[in-house]
């Protein structure tokens, strides 16, 4: 059982046993008779030093390894014997005096009990143990993450050259497993997303003009850790005010949420906690001073209608690309009503006009990674579309029950994007430049929910004020709160 | 000018100009005539992805590069021409549409203005620019960090093979420069240490039995970021309660501050904020319930007296190793009075008995790294001592005005350490086993201050309640505070 005490979620170790079982079933189907002697071999994450110093980044377990074993410490390996279904963890052998610096050194037996696997041995003995286990085929995790284009480098150990190793089978199958959340995984997703929702509400109640953007980040981080046991967040917090709201990945080192929040600014805060490795990802957009202007209402409601249209339409069998297009269409209809764009909406759709206002995809799978694996699996899922806006989609899958995905339409007034479109005759004819210029420093609105696809449609996991009335009421409640 | 608004410290860019000037003067002295065409070439840090995902650790600039240029973004190089004293930054050339995802792309001229260097060019042009600058000797930063034993890998770029490169001169000289804080650097150290002190006081006022250890960490992090603009801390927070207080690096992934705090526990909280790359490092030890027991008073006062004795004795010309021994002696005297150890204190000193209770060194240089560089520089500073306790000293230097160092004596009841000593006849004869057994689950006390060595002695930068009376009064003040 994993828990961080108080009211934090208790997670039974059965979660990991089930995950391993799901993976084994899948692989046995593929391998047939060869499965008897096949062993999945995974390597856990290592601590990452900050440059050459002796200080490390706070350790976060590698997600595939976490999915299979739930181990929280660095330096482990893990093996799952397909024939017997038995799991073995390999722990690092630590020097005795480590006890003074790092605490009690667990014995293999203590570790076995802690993680409920069949056996625990030392990393140095991997080759010996795998030989004893008659592993005649090792499946290692090699593949490319389609969000980062970085490669997963499968487990290696001294003596691996004496084994028969397959580097191709495991990655797509294990990614596919991770896409579908088990009931226990769903419980964690519900927990971490509700917690993040509450933290967003706390931020909404405490932000005021005159504060710095990063104070929203600080409030969010503190809430999730203090009340929810979340030491990590899923990604760097995005706390954009005014024009910064139009910068999709604001908050990075070159723009670290450091502007003062001004009266009249729209805020776009995209933040999500991580519990036990599972991530949430929520964006709230709201006026800094607690009351929407008419201009803010127009954009906000256009995006909200797009968000709601998708949430009403998703269900198993629906194409995610179609959902993206649905959100685009709804938003364009509203922007047309507001005279920001002009002409025929269907024609706008054909030339992907919406990408001028929303250059990013509608959403992404979410789970143990914020941009979860499995978005594109060659030969198994629809390929990445090429059209503007669509090419940024992190998946083009047909939705199925069990998936967790974000729904995050947005509308941004980004100078680079607008200027480029205004120079492009196929796009500019739909744009009302005068009206757009009125919105030049508006920033942006994104409304991002995390949903779970079920048999009937979806369950919305994020629970935050969404209508203009709800947001204004929440902020009014917080108006007299001490900052 | 660097600042994060509100009441955060404003740092003039002159700081970096002065640092570069100090380094140039040192190198010119060494190189003589060869200095005319010599160029210091440094590489800044890169973003570090989390495993193979597209999420990165929040970027922290590499400390040597930060010291010389104060650049806050990843992917830069910097050059300082010793002959002319001119500085050149090389910035990454970003694709145009980066503007949508990451914000306005600065021009070299904007970047030059922002960091007040003589010239800014693109990274891709390094070889060309250095050739134009007639760089006939490149000094790169290669060396070993004596705290981590990891190597700094000096700057490399395409075409470097056409230059004359020296990898030996720069590292020791630049490390030596970093050891001595300029008045502007001292201002930052004062700021970040005062801020961390205030955050510790906030933690002291809000911790109660029944809370989780990590709630202290969360409170500290939030305070430093929200009120001080500190996105980073210098190291992973150590929040030990009860017996965990005897684990020197508690708080890591295998023991992540996750125990509930119990009534009667001693707390040992070691946490320090980082501002603009500069770190503080403070440990406060206090009773969870706000009132010291008699047993807690004994240990606390022994450590406090050791801390105060060192602070009273430090001044230029004093050996840090001697300060460590002074702290040991004072602590042993008090432990003897309390009947925890028995016999002659001078004899105890000869067999390094104090290391049973304090296995770590008295302190370490501090600055842009928590364990700052320059502790041991071959040929320039005293070598690492070999005796128990002393071998963990992160420096054995003779103190000089301008150094910042921590003073952190401690007394821990660590089972591994005690059991080992009780089995060792040379040590066990000084130990009162019965009394020690009474303290078995006590945990530990560390009292850590950050000081600046000046001409007369030292300035204590950390400002927290230290006497038993001060701590009890502070905690009483917080007793009715909402958690």
């Amino acid at each position: 059982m994993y828990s961080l005490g108080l009211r934090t979620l208790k997670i039974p170790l059965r979660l990991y046993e089930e995950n391993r079982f799901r993976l084994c079933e899948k692989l046995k189907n593929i391998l047939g008779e060869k499965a008897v002697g096949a062993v999945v071999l995974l390597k856990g994450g290592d601590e990452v030093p900050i440059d050459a110093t002796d200080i490390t980044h706070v350790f976060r377990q590698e997600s595939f390894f976490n999915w299979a074993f739930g181990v929280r410490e660095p330096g482990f390996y893990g093996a799952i014997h397909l024939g017997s279904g038995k799991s073995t963890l390999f722990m690092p052998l630590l020097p005795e005096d480590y006890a003074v610096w790092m605490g009690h050194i667990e014995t293999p037996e203590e570790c076995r009990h802690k993680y409920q696997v069949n056996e625990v041995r030392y990393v140095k003995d991997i080759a010996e143990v795998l030989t004893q286990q008659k592993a005649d085929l090792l499946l290692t995790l090699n593949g490319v993450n389609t969000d980062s284009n970085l490669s997963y480098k499968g487990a290696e150990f001294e003596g691996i050259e004496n084994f028969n190793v397959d580097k191709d089978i495991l990655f797509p199958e294990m990614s596919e497993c991770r896409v579908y959340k088990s009931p226990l995984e769903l419980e964690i997703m519900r927990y971490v997303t509700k917690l993040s929702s509450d933290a967003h509400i706390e931020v909404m109640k405490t932000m005021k003009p005159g504060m710095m953007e990063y104070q929203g980040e600080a409030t969010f981080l503190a809430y999730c850790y203090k009340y929810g046991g979340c030491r990590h967040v899923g990604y760097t917090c995005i706390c954009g005010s005014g024009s910064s709201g139009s910068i999709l990945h604001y908050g990075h080192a070159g723009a670290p949420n450091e502007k003062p929040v001004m009266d009249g600014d729209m805020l776009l805060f995209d933040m999500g906690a991580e519990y036990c490795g599972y991530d949430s990802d929520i964006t709230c957009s709201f006026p800094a001073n607690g009351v929407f202007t008419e201009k803010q209402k127009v954009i906000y409601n256009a995006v909200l209608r797009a968000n709601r249209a998708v949430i009403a339409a998703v269900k198993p069998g629906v194409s995610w690309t179609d959902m993206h297009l649905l959100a685009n269409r709804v938003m364009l209809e509203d922007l047309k009503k507001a005279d920001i764009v002009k002409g025929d909406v269907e024609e706008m759709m054909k030339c992907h006009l919406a990408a001028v206002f929303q250059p990013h995809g509608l959403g992404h799978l979410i789970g143990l990674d914020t941009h979860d694996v499995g978005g594109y699996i060659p030969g198994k899922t629809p390929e990445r579309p090429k059209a503007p806006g669509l090419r940024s989609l992190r998946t083009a899958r047909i939705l199925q029950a069990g998936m967790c995905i974000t729904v995050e339409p947005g509308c941004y007034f980004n100078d680079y994007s607008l200027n480029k479109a205004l120079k492009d005759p196929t796009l500019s004819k739909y744009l009302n430049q005068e009206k757009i210029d009125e919105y030049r420093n508006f920033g942006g609105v994104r409304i991002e929910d995390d949903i779970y696809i079920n048999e009937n449609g979806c369950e919305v996991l994020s629970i935050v004020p969404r209508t203009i009335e709800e947001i204004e009421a929440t902020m009014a409640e917080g108006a007299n709160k001490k900052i």
Side-chain angles (χ1 to χ4, degrees), chain A residues 10 13 36 52 59 84 114 177 185 196 237 272 295 349 357 368 407 410 426 433 444:
Chain A
K10 290 184 178 64
L13 288 164
V36 179
F59 180 69
S84 63
K114 179 172 172 186
C177 280
E185 286 186 294
S196 300
C237 293
K295 270 164 74 182
M349 288 297 292
F357 300 95
L368 278 168
V407 179
T426 57
Q433 178 156 6

Side-chain angles (χ1 to χ4, degrees), chain A residues 241-399:
Chain A
S241 65
S243 61
S244 300
S246 74
I247 301 167
L248 301 181
H249 289 167
Y250 191 69
H252 61 92
N257 302 326
E258 63 176 343
K259 273 203 328 183
V261 171
M262 312 297 279
D263 201 1
D265 274 353
M266 192 71 197
L267 304 183
L268 186 162
F269 281 14
D270 183 348
M271 310 185 281
E274 175 175 306
Y275 187 73
C276 211
Y278 287 83
D279 295 331
S280 65
D281 185 355
I282 299 174
T283 309
C284 292
S285 301
F286 53 100
N289 61 17
V291 181
F292 284 82
T293 64
E294 289 309 310
K295 270 164 74 182
Q296 287 169 343
K297 281 182 186 174
V298 167
I299 306 303
Y300 189 86
N301 279 330
V303 178
L304 182 60
R305 212 161 72 81
N307 168 289
R308 292 291 159 100
V310 171
I311 286 172
V314 289
K315 61 181 177 187
V318 158
S319 147
W320 188 242
T321 310
D322 288 346
M323 292 298 95
H324 178 95
L325 295 171
L326 169 64
N328 283 354
R329 184 176 284 107
V330 170
M331 188 176 79
L332 287 174
E333 284 167 5
D334 275 23
L335 293 185
K336 184 180 170 179
K337 271 185 217 149
D339 208 22
I340 293 168
V341 301
K342 56 194 182 190
D344 181 67
V345 169
E346 288 314 309
E347 281 176 26
M348 295 178 203
M349 288 297 292
K350 277 182 201 144
C351 68
H352 301 282
L353 185 75
V356 174
F357 300 95
Q358 186 200 307
H360 63 76
L362 176 64
H364 49 82
L365 296 167
I366 184 166
L368 278 168
D369 291 333
T370 301
H371 299 149
D372 210 10
V373 292
Y376 297 101
I377 301 184
K380 282 185 180 257
T381 64
E383 281 178 25
R384 187 186 285 275
K386 291 189 177 55
L390 292 176
R391 66 176 163 239
S392 295
L393 272 172
R394 292 177 191 274
T395 188
R397 275 180 175 260
I398 306 303
L399 297 177

Side-chain angles (χ1 to χ4, degrees), chain A residues 23-59:
Chain A
L23 178 64
C24 286
E25 291 305 293
K26 231 176 193 320
L27 291 170
K28 283 196 278 191
N29 269 339
I30 291 169
L31 289 169
E33 283 181 9
K34 276 164 69 183
V36 179
V39 171
V40 169
L41 183 71
L42 298 171
K43 184 180 179 332
D46 289 312
E47 283 201 306
V48 179
I50 297 181
D51 304 307
T53 72
D54 63 343
I55 307 292
T56 58
H57 292 281
V58 177
F59 180 69

Side-chain angles (χ1 to χ4, degrees), chain A residues 15-16 19 44 60-72 274-278 368:
Chain A
L15 165 71
Y16 306 105
N19 284 348
R60 178 194 190 278
Q61 186 55 278
E62 194 282 319
S63 297
F64 282 98
F65 197 76
N66 195 6
W67 182 88
F69 294 105
V71 167
R72 298 161 66 199
E274 175 175 306
Y275 187 73
C276 211
Y278 287 83
L368 278 168

